[in-house]
Amino acid sequence: MSGEAVHTLLECRRRSEALRAKGYGFEQIAELFSVYHEVSPLRLYRYAYGRTAAEAVALYNDLDPAGTAALRESRLYDFEHWPRRGKRPTARTVALFAQVYRTAARHLITDEVYASYSVRDRQLIDRTDHRHLPAQRPSRVPSPIPGHVTMSLEAARDTVPVPTPQDCASLLRALGAEEADVKRRDLLFELALALGGAPAVILLRHLSPPEKDRLAAAVRASARVDAATVEVIEKLTARCRRLDDDFGPQTVLPIVDGQRRLVTDLLSRTTLLPDLRDRLTYAYAELSQFAGWLHHDLMDHEGARLRYQEGLTAAHEIRDGTMIAYLHTCLSYVAVYRGQIGQALDHVYAAQGWARHSPSNLMRSVHAMELARVLARRGETNESERALAYASGMVEQPRTEADPAYLYWWTIGQVRASTADCQLHWGRPDEAIGSVLNTLAAPTTLSLARGHALLHYAEALTRKREIPGAVDKIRGAARTTVRHSSTRLADSVRQARARLQPWAGNKHVRTLDEELRSLGILATAQGAHLA
């Protein structure tokens, strides 16, 4: 076997092990390798099993019931190279290899080769199927632990789709450009699989080689969990939030789910020191909050509620009042968006006591703003204004170590954006426009916040019957959806367009409809109905 062939086989063997740890079967692995390696199906299955030619030949010879098989390695190479060169395997040979690889014989030859056999040989190939034979598939589902019921049950029911062979092929190509060293590339492949696929490569770039090694040891459960391992997880979580700012929930949610599964796995280990267990439980609570936000942004409100509740269970376990207050505030976000103002009020008042005792001024500001939003929707303008004034005062306080890193996004600009939301419910569109302009002028305003601010602007202009201006602001928000995958933003754009329905015949509105249809925000039939 040439040096290049040895290199390819070892690379495929390592990748096959990583894929099987993710639940892939050998057929799926062979399908993936077919995208990446231009070789025959017969060789692809050998690569999927990570077997040398000698090992495959030995297994083949052992299966011959008459004991007369005498396949040699050189002949196997001939079969694997056919039809480009070499020799075509007989139908009986294909049938025996189907048993070696526990698959259907038809999967081991291309359509071109299949057509070259006689009718009788094709019948043998068609009826030979050994997929019923058991194949070893390692499981990485952590075992349940007393005292951590919610997290262990979550791990069992968390059914995040496994990356497709095409996704894995894209990942391999990306890693080929990312890392020249084969062993480091395989390590990155294993980590990216564990963390949701190709998007995770962007995160892994921010880890040093020792940090990647620590994370790989955690994924493989080959070393004890220490403080440095937890620090890597915390670092990835912080980076993941920034990734959401840039790309949106569709890119980030698989990575967050991968991290949650990893943390659940780490928590299943009985050798954790109490401080490490608390830090990991906190990481689980934070990742659950983040996953809840991503589900909410994708308008999967039940998924968001479930994740937030799981985060609450973990936060109560470690008695973190700031996180408990934040999670109740997040549950209020979901209820407000669904128009369930009574439920929103329940959650915002549940958060109030925890926020009061929190050492974080930022958390008190976030909570007060949500209270202002809920009260504004209830028509309690004076109380809403008082809560808003308190939120504005708290956000201006100097930041301290008591302010959690996950509230990095809460700035005076974000307060002004939420102020515009309240002012619209108070019936003050001119004041709302002023707040939006301050938000848009701030260089730190994130793209998603800018999109929603533009929609507040559009609503205020619509109330003032300034239709061309409203159309322009809706168009600006709609274009944000090209680079950010927030389903909630796209839905808010549709709501803003619906408020323009009395002016549906206006040329500006008709032009907007055409652009919204081109962006996929407005369906063709829906656009025709609105127009």
Side-chain angles (χ1 to χ4, degrees):
M1 184 182 296
S2 68
E4 181 181 0
V6 171
H7 164 81
T8 302
L9 177 63
L10 292 177
E11 190 176 71
C12 288
R13 182 180 292 168
R14 287 190 295 266
R15 287 171 179 168
S16 179
E17 289 173 356
L19 287 163
R20 282 185 286 125
K22 290 288 293 179
Y24 271 73
F26 289 106
E27 285 188 6
Q28 293 171 302
I29 297 170
E31 182 184 353
L32 162 62
F33 288 172
S34 72
V35 180
Y36 200 65
H37 297 285
E38 294 184 4
V39 295
S40 69
L42 195 58
R43 176 164 288 192
L44 287 172
Y45 270 81
R46 182 160 65 81
Y47 282 172
Y49 277 85
R51 289 174 181 157
T52 65
E55 290 169 337
V57 164
L59 289 169
Y60 175 92
N61 290 333
D62 289 343
L63 284 176
D64 181 32
T68 58
L71 183 66
R72 301 183 306 276
E73 290 181 49
S74 59
R75 182 60 72 195
L76 173 59
Y77 290 136
D78 284 340
F79 294 159
E80 289 180 343
H81 286 134
W82 181 261
R84 294 183 179 177
R85 64 178 190 272
K87 182 178 177 64
R88 189 189 72 173
T90 66
R92 178 174 173 275
T93 296
V94 175
L96 279 177
F97 269 117
Q99 190 172 352
V100 169
Y101 297 127
R102 301 190 176 187
T103 187
R106 184 65 183 83
H107 292 172
L108 295 178
I109 52 176
T110 63
D111 292 342
E112 178 187 0
V113 175
Y114 177 77
S116 70
Y117 288 103
S118 66
V119 173
R120 183 175 179 181
D121 284 345
R122 288 201 296 266
Q123 289 174 346
L124 172 61
I125 291 170
D126 288 338
R127 68 172 180 264
T128 302
D129 190 341
H130 295 287
R131 286 177 292 182
H132 62 282
L133 295 176
Q136 293 182 349
R137 295 185 181 182
S139 172
R140 295 196 56 79
V141 177
S143 58
I145 335 184
H148 296 82
V149 176
T150 299
M151 282 172 275
S152 58
L153 286 179
E154 181 278 323
R157 68 170 176 263
D158 196 0
T159 55
V160 179
V162 175
T164 66
Q166 290 73 24
D167 293 335
C168 289
S170 299
L171 173 58
L172 288 171
R173 282 191 288 268
L175 291 176
E178 185 80 17
E179 177 61 65
D181 182 83
V182 174
K183 289 186 178 179
R184 302 302 299 178
R185 190 160 65 232
D186 285 335
L187 182 141
L188 284 174
F189 179 66
E190 182 179 359
L191 290 178
L193 276 183
L195 295 177
V201 175
I202 302 172
L203 288 181
L204 295 172
R205 287 175 187 158
H206 296 285
L207 298 184
S208 66
E211 288 174 328
K212 291 172 186 173
D213 290 336
R214 285 186 179 278
L215 191 61
V219 169
R220 298 167 183 156
S222 60
R224 292 188 63 178
V225 180
D226 57 13
T229 304
V230 180
E231 286 174 9
V232 173
I233 294 169
E234 292 166 345
K235 181 177 180 178
L236 281 179
T237 302
R239 289 287 182 182
C240 217
R241 289 185 182 276
R242 301 292 186 173
L243 195 63
D244 176 49
D245 296 337
D246 294 333
F247 299 104
Q250 287 184 353
T251 297
V252 179
L253 184 56
I255 306 174
V256 174
D257 284 335
Q259 287 180 264
R260 289 177 77 245
R261 289 194 301 274
L262 174 58
V263 172
T264 302
D265 190 13
L266 297 179
L267 283 166
S268 72
R269 303 179 191 178
T270 58
T271 56
L272 286 173
L273 296 173
D275 286 349
L276 285 179
R277 182 170 292 282
D278 285 350
R279 283 182 67 181
L280 280 172
T281 303
Y282 180 86
Y284 178 88
E286 184 179 346
L287 286 165
S288 295
Q289 180 279 321
F290 189 23
W293 163 257
L294 297 171
H295 279 283
H296 172 51
D297 210 18
L298 289 169
M299 292 186 66
D300 174 14
H301 302 305
E302 284 307 311
R305 186 190 60 78
L306 174 62
R307 293 296 180 247
Y308 287 149
Q309 291 291 352
E310 289 167 346
L312 269 175
T313 300
H316 276 292
E317 185 175 323
I318 55 176
R319 298 180 178 87
D320 190 297
T322 302
M323 178 62 77
I324 294 170
Y326 190 37
L327 284 159
H328 274 298
T329 303
C330 290
L331 283 162
S332 177
Y333 292 163
V334 175
V336 165
Y337 196 83
R338 302 180 77 176
Q340 299 168 337
I341 305 305
Q343 286 188 24
L345 198 62
D346 288 344
H347 283 297
V348 85
Y349 281 142
Q352 193 165 49
W354 294 102
R356 233 175 242 155
H357 293 93
S358 168
S360 169
N361 286 328
L362 272 186
M363 185 63 247
R364 282 193 282 274
S365 176
V366 169
H367 168 264
M369 179 55 75
E370 180 61 9
L371 177 61
R373 292 175 68 242
V374 175
L375 293 175
R377 283 161 171 76
R378 285 172 57 87
E380 300 177 31
T381 301
N382 292 335
E383 293 81 357
S384 177
E385 287 188 277
R386 281 196 290 272
L388 176 58
Y390 183 76
S392 300
M394 286 293 100
V395 79
E396 297 280 25
Q397 296 295 316
R399 301 205 174 201
T400 69
E401 291 183 358
D403 294 318
Y406 55 76
L407 291 182
Y408 70 93
W409 58 277
W410 188 249
T411 63
I412 187 61
Q414 189 63 43
V415 169
R416 288 168 180 155
S418 298
T419 298
D421 176 77
C422 292
Q423 289 165 334
L424 287 170
H425 283 85
W426 299 341
R428 304 174 190 172
D430 289 323
E431 292 181 13
I433 290 172
S435 297
V436 168
L437 289 174
N438 284 329
T439 300
L440 297 176
T444 57
T445 303
L446 303 174
S447 62
L448 183 60
R450 292 181 70 84
H452 284 291
L454 286 169
L455 294 178
H456 292 324
Y457 201 163
E459 183 174 351
L461 292 173
T462 301
R463 293 187 188 186
K464 292 165 63 69
R465 296 176 180 268
E466 297 179 15
I467 306 308
V471 165
D472 182 62
K473 305 312 172 192
I474 294 172
R475 180 181 291 113
R479 289 174 180 172
T480 302
T481 65
V482 173
R483 57 186 181 275
H484 196 286
S485 59
S486 171
T487 308
R488 186 168 52 92
L489 177 60
D491 183 64
S492 296
V493 169
R494 282 189 288 272
Q495 293 177 31
R497 164 58 185 88
R499 285 191 284 270
L500 293 177
Q501 189 55 25
W503 300 275
N506 182 291
K507 66 177 182 179
H508 299 286
V509 178
R510 291 201 304 270
T511 302
L512 174 65
D513 286 346
E514 292 175 6
E515 185 163 350
L516 295 183
R517 283 193 290 270
S518 70
L519 292 172
I521 295 175
L522 206 63
T524 302
Q526 183 183 0
H529 171 70
L530 289 174

